[in-house]
Amino acid sequence: MIIRRALVAMALVAGGCGPSAVRPEAVPTAPGPPSVTATDDGLDAATILADRVAAAEKAGAERFVALGAEALDEGGQVGRFVTRPAAGACLLGVAGAGDSAQDVDVFAYADDGTRLASDESPGPRAAVLLCPPYPDRVYLVARNVTGAGVVGLAVMQVPTERADAVARGLEVRGRPGEDSGRLAAWPGLERRLRERQERLGAGWEDVRRVAIPVHPAAAATVSARIDAGRCLDVLAVPDDDVPAVDLSVLAEDGRIVARGRSPGRDRATVVCSSVGQTVTVAVRPRAAAGLVAVVIRRSAPGAIDELDADVGLNAVTPLGPLASSLARLEARRLSRAGWGASEELARSIVVPTRGMTRVPLTLRAGCSRYDVVGGAPLGGFTATLWRRDDGVRLAVGRGGEVATGFACAAATTTAAELELAAVDRPGPAAVLLRRIDDVPPALTASPRAAGRLLGRFEGLQREPITPRDLEELGGQRVEVGQRAVRRVALGAAQCVDVVAAVDGAPQPLSLRLEDAAGSVRAATTGFGVASVHHCRGEDDDDGARLALQLEVRRAPTVVLSAVRRR
């Protein structure tokens, strides 16, 4: 009982109840640290790039603009569009990383995806420099290649007279005629790519760049995807331990559709397809083991017509029975598009791999279109049209399933001959001819240019094209070292395809569009024919009227140009 009373008393005291409860006085406490708060501030590119910006400013760059900074994993990117600075100034893109990101690359792209410059050298710093001419709007992007960390990207303006000093001060890579640094461990490879670019014509973008170990006992392989209407350029460069290699390209069904040609010890080939498919590149050394660099690049849609025919172009479209191939051509409704009814010049003739099959034909006044349709087991083939009286080559078509060419003539009748030759396997083919009599005189006055022009427009549009579809068609003589100029008008929010073609022997042809302010909107170089696609925005006053500038490099010639609005 005594114990129970004691426990009750203790409970009452602890609970603070009753008159005997004692309340302790409050003890003041010292103030603690402030609460954690969040801010809206982001990472500061200026802090990350401080040393690079200081070096750039010392060399002559100015007007720093931060484009962004992000914490990136491997493969992560940060990028923004920038507009061209004051007329005549260069654009410097600078990227850099903190301690944990080990390799950062920077790229500059045009609106249409064309790569303008890149710095892919190993290391946490990268820079590109663009000097006129280049587009009014450029997309700059920095990519974290190795490690994880904070990557910053910025842009600066550089007076053209200080461009070389800035390039040296920041070790800028990827300027025209210079290496990007990506293949620094393979000396001379990027120089080979530039030389091949000039030889081929058209524009190319990287698909794969790999160094693969090879051994004579078995072929090493690399796969790549060809999109419909595009081409792949494949280049294999052996190292010093490999004296020679063989290069072949296999279609999805396992057949060899192309073999590499020789520029020295290297091997290269171009394959094109009218349908999307995956090809396999096989490389095998003849004697010793070692390493081979394989570079695969992709063309723009329909660019086969802009390439030099002598470099070895191979069509890899898979073939079915000849009757099926003819039915697919008929489904394109060429007659409804404006071409006349087809005249069948040959049916089920054999296209050989040794020698060639010749099909005589007569070109009438106007323009003609020939389609050579192949059927299994025929592989890739060529269809070359020659004028008989003087031996001039009028057109070249390359087939997987269909090889198409165009020829125009002013005379009432012109004797011609079509030569067919298989690349790898013989097989059957049919030859169809269609005509349009009433055509613009400019086409018949420059027949070789007309054929190239029509072929390139059809490749761009991916639909049948006739001479009547061309707008602002005209020919002009272009001298070496001079630029011929024409004017092209564009409505608001309108797009246009511009194509130009030389009438003489194929040679490099440069084409560019400048707006009213003198800014370059688009530029390209093709072999025999060149093309650009350009769109004008709704509020783009300077782009309402463009100057089409044409330039040839080897010999004066007549250049035929036309546009088609979309």
Side-chain angles (χ1 to χ4, degrees), residues 109 112-115 193 197 200-209 224-235 269-273 277 295-304 307:
Y109 293 96
D112 61 0
T114 301
R115 183 183 295 184
L193 288 173
Q197 173 96 21
L200 287 175
W204 300 86
E205 59 182 359
D206 283 2
V207 175
R208 298 194 69 176
R209 289 190 182 189
R225 178 77 180 172
I226 305 182
D227 296 329
R230 294 182 184 257
C231 302
L232 291 182
D233 174 41
V234 183
L235 174 66
T269 190
V270 176
V271 291
C272 308
S273 180
Q277 62 172 306
V295 181
I296 304 175
R297 301 181 298 167
R298 180 179 65 176
S299 77
I304 186 171
L307 306 181

Side-chain angles (χ1 to χ4, degrees), residues 43-49 53 62-69 78-82 92 94 140 152-156:
L43 293 168
D44 186 8
T47 302
I48 300 168
L49 300 172
V53 172
E62 56 192 19
R63 301 184 185 180
F64 168 88
V65 177
L67 301 182
V78 55
R80 284 182 66 183
F81 274 107
V82 298
L92 174 68
V94 183
L140 287 175
L153 177 66
V155 66
M156 300 182 74

Side-chain angles (χ1 to χ4, degrees), residues 38-334:
T39 72
D40 294 330
D41 299 337
L43 293 168
D44 186 8
T47 302
I48 300 168
L49 300 172
D51 58 338
R52 301 289 279 165
V53 172
E57 290 177 339
K58 182 178 179 180
E62 56 192 19
R63 301 184 185 180
F64 168 88
V65 177
L67 301 182
E70 299 286 346
L72 302 176
D73 292 329
E74 288 190 4
Q77 299 183 155
V78 55
R80 284 182 66 183
F81 274 107
V82 298
T83 56
R84 182 177 176 176
C90 301
L91 192 71
L92 174 68
V94 183
D99 295 337
S100 54
Q102 303 167 15
D103 187 3
V104 174
D105 296 339
V106 64
F107 305 87
Y109 293 96
D111 260 325
D112 61 0
T114 301
R115 183 183 295 184
L116 304 173
S118 66
D119 183 348
E120 301 171 79
S121 57
R125 299 174 177 179
V128 293
L129 184 63
L130 298 176
C131 289
Y134 62 92
D136 282 350
R137 202 167 80 135
V138 175
Y139 187 73
L140 287 175
V141 58
R143 182 176 66 192
N144 182 31
V145 180
T146 306
V150 176
V151 175
L153 177 66
V155 66
M156 300 182 74
Q157 181 174 313
V158 180
T160 52
E161 64 271 14
R162 301 299 301 165
D164 290 339
V166 171
R168 289 192 300 270
L170 273 74
E171 298 180 353
V172 170
R173 302 268 192 172
R175 299 180 72 190
E178 297 179 357
D179 291 352
S180 71
R182 179 174 185 176
L183 299 171
W186 206 284
L189 181 53
E190 293 211 50
R191 174 182 53 80
R192 289 181 173 92
L193 288 173
R194 291 196 303 273
E195 293 172 350
R196 184 158 177 80
Q197 173 96 21
E198 294 176 0
R199 180 74 176 89
L200 287 175
W204 300 86
E205 59 182 359
D206 283 2
V207 175
R208 298 194 69 176
R209 289 190 182 189
V210 295
I212 56 176
V214 294
H215 193 278
T221 61
V222 178
S223 63
R225 178 77 180 172
I226 305 182
D227 296 329
R230 294 182 184 257
C231 302
L232 291 182
D233 174 41
V234 183
L235 174 66
V237 180
D239 68 3
D240 294 337
D241 295 329
V242 180
V245 296
D246 291 324
L247 170 69
S248 57
V249 179
L250 288 75
E252 290 179 339
D253 58 5
R255 61 192 172 96
I256 296 177
V257 294
R259 296 185 185 277
R261 290 189 175 188
S262 166
R265 295 170 57 242
D266 304 343
R267 292 294 181 268
T269 190
V270 176
V271 291
C272 308
S273 180
S274 61
V275 298
Q277 62 172 306
T278 299
V279 297
T280 300
V281 177
V283 181
R284 185 171 184 170
R286 298 180 183 175
L291 288 175
V292 173
V294 177
V295 181
I296 304 175
R297 301 181 298 167
R298 180 179 65 176
S299 77
I304 186 171
D305 292 306
E306 296 187 22
L307 306 181
D308 182 357
D310 295 330
V311 300
L313 308 178
N314 305 274
V316 298
T317 303
L319 296 180
L322 180 58
S324 300
S325 300
L326 286 167
R328 279 188 288 273
L329 178 65
E330 184 63 28
R332 298 188 65 192
R333 302 180 182 275
L334 295 173

Side-chain angles (χ1 to χ4, degrees), residues 328-405:
R328 279 188 288 273
L329 178 65
E330 184 63 28
R332 298 188 65 192
R333 302 180 182 275
L334 295 173
S335 298
R336 291 189 181 182
W339 291 100
S342 64
E343 175 186 351
E344 189 172 273
L345 302 182
R347 166 73 75 124
S348 296
I349 58 173
V350 175
V351 182
T353 52
R354 295 180 179 272
M356 57 189 65
T357 295
R358 293 180 171 86
V359 179
L361 56 90
T362 300
L363 301 176
R364 297 173 186 166
C367 292
S368 300
R369 170 200 179 104
Y370 68 84
D371 294 286
V372 181
V373 184
L378 180 64
F381 63 94
T382 59
T384 308
L385 183 65
W386 300 89
R387 196 161 56 198
R388 276 189 178 179
D389 58 353
D390 56 6
V392 170
R393 184 172 66 183
L394 297 175
V396 179
R398 297 170 189 85
E401 187 170 80
V402 180
T404 300

